[in-house]
Amino acid sequence: MLVSEFEDILIEQKKFFESIKDFTWRRVDFESYFSNDFITTITGVRRSGKSYLLLQFKNKIENKTTKRGAYVNFEDDRFSSFSVN
C-alpha cells in the first residue's frame, strides 16, 4: 500500500467521523482518565458503542487541551493489503 493511499483512507475516515453529529453521548468521568498516565482499554461486545465512546473521548481531549487525536479504523477493507513493509 502506498503512503498516498493510506493518507486518502485516513482523510476519508476523518471526514466520516467528523460528520457524525447524532449519536448517544455517554456519561463518563473523563477527568479520571486525564489525571493519570495509565493506559485505558475499552472492551465490549460487537456494536456496543466502543468506537463512538473513543470518538467522544477524542473530542473531550481536543476541547480540553491543545492535543489533537485521530481515530483509525483498521478493520476498513481497504487496509487488507497494508503491511509494515
Side-chain angles (χ1 to χ4, degrees), residues 16-26 52 55 59:
F16 170 74
F17 279 105
E18 287 178 346
S19 72
I20 298 172
K21 303 291 184 215
D22 197 26
F23 64 92
T24 303
W25 285 87
R26 310 286 185 215
Y52 288 97
L55 180 62
N59 289 340

Side-chain angles (χ1 to χ4, degrees), residues 28-40 57 60-61 64-65 67:
V28 178
D29 178 19
F30 287 104
E31 294 303 319
S32 64
Y33 297 102
F34 291 125
S35 64
N36 67 58
D37 293 329
F38 294 110
I39 295 170
T40 301
F57 191 74
K60 284 283 188 184
I61 289 172
K64 186 176 178 70
T65 68
K67 295 178 182 178

Side-chain angles (χ1 to χ4, degrees), residues 6-79:
F6 189 81
E7 289 174 342
D8 290 343
I9 295 170
L10 293 181
I11 290 168
E12 187 177 319
Q13 286 186 4
K14 179 181 179 188
K15 287 179 184 176
F16 170 74
F17 279 105
E18 287 178 346
S19 72
I20 298 172
K21 303 291 184 215
D22 197 26
F23 64 92
T24 303
W25 285 87
R26 310 286 185 215
R27 285 191 232 172
V28 178
D29 178 19
F30 287 104
E31 294 303 319
S32 64
Y33 297 102
F34 291 125
S35 64
N36 67 58
D37 293 329
F38 294 110
I39 295 170
T40 301
T41 303
I42 299 172
T43 61
V45 297
R46 186 168 188 220
R47 301 190 55 83
S48 62
K50 298 178 298 291
S51 296
Y52 288 97
L53 181 62
L54 285 171
L55 180 62
Q56 184 178 345
F57 191 74
K58 176 185 155 313
N59 289 340
K60 284 283 188 184
I61 289 172
E62 290 177 350
N63 290 337
K64 186 176 178 70
T65 68
T66 58
K67 295 178 182 178
R68 301 287 300 158
Y71 176 84
V72 180
N73 179 4
F74 283 106
E75 290 186 356
D76 189 313
D77 289 337
R78 295 171 291 178
F79 283 125

